[in-house]
Amino acid sequence: MQLIEQYIFRRVAVVTLSTLVVVTTIVLSTQLLSRVAMLTRSSDAFLIFVQIALFLIPSMVMVVIPFALLVGAMRTLNAMNADSELAVLEAAGRSPALTARPVVLLALLLTLASLLIAHVVEPWSNRNLRDAVARASADLIRSAAQAGTFQVIANGSYIQIAEQLPGGEFGKLVLVDARDPK
């Protein structure tokens, strides 16, 4: 790779990765806000919150990677055009295809990273995400058993457990499901 290709590759990679981090953080925060109600009822709320956040990252990255690359390439090439760097490269006899080669190389690398994430990392994180949500839900039921008051499970669903019997079983269980009026 020539020096100018390394320069273009580095600029596009830096803008792409910074865009990836910022946009993934924004999308992740919107996904976590929908789960805050469940997490605040758990005794290990912060630990479960961090686990769920980490397990959501691979799916968010898969959605954001193409847009981050697009923003990185457009921003870099636009800045090079504004600074007349592309005009100088063309005047020096460099073809536009050679200028695009670092962007295509970065796209290929991000495609391979997406392939790895989609087939290895994301299935693993989805399994662990389900387990973390299940642990948080089980912890919610334990907190309901200790409190003896009605607890919201989901919108319109409530549970009350009056006592916990030896062996971990529950006694005097009341479930209220007001989601469907029928």
Side-chain angles (χ1 to χ4, degrees), residues 120-152:
V120 177
V121 178
E122 194 172 6
W124 174 83
S125 71
N126 285 341
R127 274 192 305 275
N128 288 323
L129 176 65
R130 278 194 307 272
D131 292 344
V133 169
R135 281 193 309 272
S137 298
D139 198 27
L140 172 65
I141 292 174
R142 277 195 294 280
S143 72
Q146 293 170 357
T149 60
F150 281 98
Q151 296 288 327
V152 177

Side-chain angles (χ1 to χ4, degrees), residues 18-127:
S18 61
T19 303
L20 182 67
V21 168
V22 170
V23 175
T24 301
T25 304
I26 292 169
V27 172
L28 183 65
S29 65
T30 62
Q31 292 298 311
L32 289 174
L33 286 175
S34 67
R35 302 178 199 284
V36 167
M38 179 193 67
L39 296 175
T40 56
R41 290 182 175 84
S42 172
S43 63
D44 297 329
F46 181 73
L47 178 65
I48 291 175
F49 186 79
V50 170
Q51 285 178 343
I52 287 177
L54 291 175
F55 295 141
L56 281 173
I57 289 175
S59 11
M60 300 302 124
V61 167
M62 287 296 297
V63 172
V64 174
I65 280 179
F67 300 108
L69 178 63
L70 179 66
V71 168
M74 285 176 40
R75 178 128 168 87
T76 300
L77 294 175
N78 189 32
M80 289 179 71
N81 188 42
D83 294 340
S84 299
E85 292 172 310
L86 293 178
V88 169
L89 289 174
E90 190 174 333
R94 186 165 178 90
S95 74
L98 292 176
T99 304
R101 195 162 70 179
V103 176
V104 172
L105 178 63
L106 183 61
L108 183 70
L109 292 174
L110 289 176
T111 301
L112 292 175
S114 295
L115 186 66
L116 176 71
I117 291 170
H119 291 288
V120 177
V121 178
E122 194 172 6
W124 174 83
S125 71
N126 285 341
R127 274 192 305 275

